[in-house]
Amino acid sequence: MTSRWQHPALQEARLYGILDLGYVSEDDALAVARKMLVGGVQLLQLRAKGRSPQEMRSLARDLAPLCRAHQVPFILNDHPELVPETGADGAHVGQDDVGVAEARALAGEHAIIGKSTHSLAQALAAEREGPDYIGFGPLFATPTKPDYPPIGLNEIMQAQRLVSLPLFCIGGIKRENLPGVLAAGARRVVIVSGILQAPDPQAYCKACRDLLASASA
């Protein structure tokens, strides 16, 4: 199975930021998201592990027009059923969540659906489900994925070669180790705590975008 639809911005995206409520309070979430968007994230995901769909709904409704104003796709973690009512552009599902087909049915035919994978075998299996992009990791140990051992950098190049979908490396990636991740073959990355714990998230995102642009060139 192949992706039914590709968002126009998805193919160009290199820096994927996650607004994780484990690092940012709901009161600060919009301000931080704005800094991320101005700094250059090209996909923005709202992650609220442990929160109910009702708790996510209000914030998602505020974030959707903000992302739209910056022409950045807005993705919800784990809750495809909230996509139509919040104005989000899609949803991201993990290995233990609903499958891609069910997520797309809940989110809408034209929604972006992403899928987490934690090995080359899972990435190849996920591609057959027909998501619009794949998350690949965690590359390094990270508190956001405590149940998954890091897979390291060795399979990035092979995954890039074998998987035809946009593949975003994730897990413990920060500005400091980004050059090494890019040298291992990554061209798209997800960064979470590095951005959210930075004194200046906007400048941090811009520095990461510059590194990604240099690697792509």
Side-chain angles (χ1 to χ4, degrees):
M1 184 186 298
T2 58
S3 300
R4 296 182 186 178
W5 183 73
Q6 296 281 352
H7 192 286
L10 187 57
Q11 290 295 328
E12 299 301 319
R14 296 291 180 268
L15 179 59
Y16 191 154
I18 296 185
L19 187 68
D20 190 327
L21 297 188
Y23 291 95
V24 177
S25 72
E26 289 184 52
D27 290 341
D28 294 332
L30 276 176
V32 173
R34 189 173 288 108
K35 291 175 182 177
M36 294 168 71
L37 291 163
V38 173
V41 298
Q42 295 162 288
L43 286 167
L44 183 71
Q45 181 188 127
L46 173 61
R47 179 194 280 164
K49 293 291 187 182
R51 309 292 180 98
S52 69
Q54 291 75 19
E55 290 175 299
M56 288 186 69
R57 188 177 285 113
S58 177
L59 180 56
R61 283 174 172 162
D62 289 337
L63 286 166
L66 178 63
C67 290
R68 196 172 303 119
H70 287 269
Q71 299 182 310
V72 169
F74 174 48
I75 307 296
L76 299 179
N77 184 272
D78 288 349
H79 292 286
E81 74 280 5
L82 294 182
V83 169
E85 63 179 286
T86 60
D89 294 294
H92 186 91
V93 294
Q95 289 289 313
D96 300 322
D97 300 322
V98 300
V100 169
E102 184 176 349
R104 202 182 297 280
L106 291 167
E109 180 181 357
H110 297 301
I112 296 170
I113 303 297
K115 176 88 173 187
S116 290
T117 67
H118 312 298
S119 67
L120 180 58
Q122 284 186 0
L124 293 170
E127 184 170 33
R128 293 192 290 272
E129 288 188 67
D132 295 290
Y133 72 87
I134 287 172
F136 186 67
L139 300 188
F140 308 106
T142 170
T144 61
K145 295 284 185 181
D147 298 327
Y148 295 100
I151 62 176
L153 304 178
N154 293 336
E155 290 187 334
I156 293 176
M157 195 74 76
Q158 190 175 11
Q160 291 277 140
R161 187 172 66 252
L162 296 177
V163 176
S164 61
L165 296 173
L167 186 141
F168 289 86
C169 292
I170 185 171
I173 302 173
K174 301 179 186 297
R175 182 178 58 188
E176 294 76 15
N177 61 23
L178 182 54
V181 174
L182 297 174
R187 290 298 176 263
R188 307 170 193 265
V189 299
V190 181
I191 301 180
V192 189
S193 64
I195 294 173
L196 301 180
Q197 294 178 326
D200 186 343
Q202 181 176 326
Y204 192 100
C205 290
K206 183 181 184 305
C208 293
R209 273 292 302 274
D210 289 346
L211 288 169
L212 285 156
S214 296
S216 297

